[in-house]
Amino acid sequence: MTSSSEPLVALVTDGLRGVGTGAVWAVGDAGGERHEGRHGPLGRRPGGPEMARDTLFDLASLTKIVALWPCAGALWTAGRLPLDDPLGSYWTEVAGRPVGRLTARHLLTHTAGLPPRTNFARLYGTDPADVRAGVLAAPLHRPPGQAVEYTDRAAIVLGYLVEALGGSPLDRLATEQVWRPLGMTDTAFGPLGPGERARTAPTEFDPATGDYLTGVVHDPSARLLGGACGSAGAFSTARDLGLFLTSLLGSGPSAGWAAESLREQTGGLTPARGLSWLCAPGTDPSAGTFVHYGFTGTAMWLNRRQGRWAVLLTNKVHLNRELQPLTDLRNAFRREVFG
């Protein structure tokens, strides 16, 4: 990456013509943020506010990285989350069930063979307790370890496990163990209060309310589960995500977990994944660039070998769900920052 932020400004500004929404981005290293920028409106309402440094975004599946993954890592570091023991051998709730045959590594690498879709309301109803029971009793879609199949169910099962081992709901664990210690004061599970909603990038139009979802999680499974679960539900800013990613390049308590996670863990299966993280498309796993995306239009990258991180936050679904323009922008952004 060049020492100037001008190429990124031009790249994102041009790319947003196809994406059709605004963006906030940041790039940094182990010393913190080095470049940041923003462009475009917060939403589609004429005369509305512009994207700002403190704009809150629905992180969607970045929740898996910002909330679930570090809490799992804290348990692993403490010797309480064995990666390769069957879940049923230490989590009595799933003993004797298909899920009990899986390992935490299966869940973290998306090789568990769980059903690829959620469909919770249709399958299990709208009571969160019934959803939990249904998810943990569901048969496997295929034998574990055969294929990499990204599914929110893996994160939801891991979220239940982390809560069981951690003795608290995931939102409390993430706040107390990760966000508060790092000074991530803008990061929280929704629904957000009125003050936060005023600076939150809206997502899709919700026919049930007749308005755009703003400060309420876009993901229907997370909404069904009260707004907070292992797969989605968190809101944050580029600044806070920069604090989080900077910490992963240091030598603190999370260093061992980051080093374990940011290497290829899927044994030649494609797409190559680490633990929770994806090897960045268009790169070789040996290059060490890992990424996670969020359906709403969010993304963040980390490369410990280069000592560099990047965040690109949009609310793409506010316009439409056409993926290719956002994919093109993300890939161009990654190439500019990491090569």
Side-chain angles (χ1 to χ4, degrees), residues 12-90:
V12 177
T13 302
D14 183 63
L16 285 173
R17 294 193 181 100
V19 172
T21 184
V24 180
W25 65 92
V27 177
D29 55 27
E33 183 182 281
R34 298 305 180 193
H35 304 302
E36 59 85 20
R38 76 295 305 239
H39 179 79
L42 197 67
R44 301 174 71 182
R45 290 189 176 94
E50 296 286 303
M51 290 286 179
R53 181 168 169 77
D54 66 347
T55 295
L56 285 155
F57 288 83
D58 181 336
L59 295 183
S61 283
L62 294 197
T63 301
K64 296 177 176 72
I65 296 294
V66 175
L68 180 60
W69 174 75
C71 289
L75 291 166
W76 176 81
T77 301
R80 299 177 59 199
L81 182 66
L83 293 182
D84 297 306
D85 292 353
L87 301 182
S89 68
Y90 60 95

Side-chain angles (χ1 to χ4, degrees), residues 277-299:
W277 295 81
L278 172 70
C279 297
T283 71
D284 189 276
S286 63
T289 301
F290 286 79
V291 66
H292 209 292
Y293 303 121
F295 185 78
T296 50
T298 57

Side-chain angles (χ1 to χ4, degrees), residues 263-285:
R263 62 182 181 85
E264 195 269 330
Q265 297 266 357
T266 42
L269 298 173
T270 56
R273 300 194 69 98
L275 299 181
S276 289
W277 295 81
L278 172 70
C279 297
T283 71
D284 189 276

